[in-house]
Structures are given as structure tokens and as C-alpha cells.
Amino acid sequence: MDEFVLARVLHVLGVVLWIGGVAMVTTVLLPAVAKMKSAEERVEFFEHIESRFATQARFTTLLVGLSGFYMVHILDGWNRFAELHFWWMHAMVFVWGIFTLMLFVLEPWVLHKWFKTRALNKPEQTFVLIQRLHWFLLSISLVTVAGAVAGSHGWVLFGKW
């Protein structure tokens, strides 16, 4: 089971870097950007920092996805997706799927251009929308992390384990 332990270590480290980064962007970076005077300065600074974080997030979401699916495979835990008391398994895949879609499809192909155009035309509304989206993503991520830690240690909300 050494490979499983390594997979779990990589999984947790990936989640810490990924969701910790989302927390930093949401609670520190976005409020600081919102206080900048000019829309151009906000867009330029946010794009610079966010693009660097996106690279980290892409790597860590891949790491988390690969290690997570590997652990489910090794444990033959696919049946857990059919049981409600393993809701956190569904939540992990859901959150991972949202971020993977955002980071690998929507952000590079749609959102980057949309953000730049909208932020220059409607800077206040755009940053409010971005902040709300980040708070939503951070909230579901933290609920998922809490559920996964509790659930993987036998604490279930629905039914018996």
C-alpha cells in the first residue's frame, strides 16, 4: 500500500495548494484589487496574478484528479458513488469537475477575453461578479474538504457506514 499512501499524500498536498490558493485569491487578492483606483490597473494586476495562479491550479487539479481516481481504483471504491452517505465523494468529483472545466476550457477559451472586455467597460460590476463567483467556489470547496476529511474518518451524515 505504499503507492496508496503516496497517492494520498500527493492528493492532500494538491488540495492544500489548490484550495489554499483559491482562498488567498478570494480573501486577499480580490479585495486588494477592488481598492485600486483605475480599472486598467485592476485588470492588469488581476490578470497578471491570476494567470500565474492558474498555472499552479491547473497542475494541482491534475494531480488531485489523477491521485483521487487512482485511490478509488486501488480501493475498488466505485460503489461508494451509489451510496448517499458517501456524498463527499460526489462533492469531490463535482468540485474537481467545475475547476477543471473552468481552468482548462472556459478560462483560456472564453472567460479571459470576456473578463478583459467586461472589466474595462463595467469594472465595478465585473469585480463584484468575480468576487461572488470566487466566494461560491471557495465555499463549496471548503464544505467538500470538511466532508471528505470527516467522511474518510468514518463520520457520516446520512445512514451508516
Side-chain angles (χ1 to χ4, degrees), residues 69-136:
F69 284 109
Y70 176 80
M71 289 187 292
V72 171
H73 174 72
I74 290 297
L75 294 175
D76 194 24
W78 301 107
N79 62 329
R80 291 180 174 193
F81 290 102
E83 300 181 38
L84 182 59
H85 57 270
F86 291 111
W87 66 270
W88 46 274
M89 298 281 291
H90 301 89
M92 286 192 293
V93 173
F94 177 73
V95 168
W96 177 83
I98 288 174
F99 276 95
T100 300
L101 180 64
M102 294 281 288
L103 291 165
F104 289 96
V105 178
L106 296 177
E107 196 277 327
W109 298 101
V110 178
L111 295 178
H112 180 75
K113 184 178 178 180
W114 171 87
F115 170 76
K116 200 164 195 167
T117 302
R118 191 166 194 275
L120 291 173
N121 295 324
K122 298 179 180 180
E124 300 305 322
Q125 298 94 327
T126 303
F127 277 97
V128 166
L129 180 63
I130 296 294
Q131 284 179 309
R132 287 182 182 156
L133 175 63
H134 276 80
W135 274 108
F136 171 74

Side-chain angles (χ1 to χ4, degrees), residues 29-46 49 123-124 127:
L29 178 65
L30 286 173
V33 169
K35 292 182 181 190
M36 292 180 170
K37 295 194 187 313
S38 75
E40 294 80 17
E41 183 182 29
R42 281 185 224 166
V43 171
E44 184 180 328
F45 182 76
F46 180 74
I49 300 298
E124 300 305 322
F127 277 97

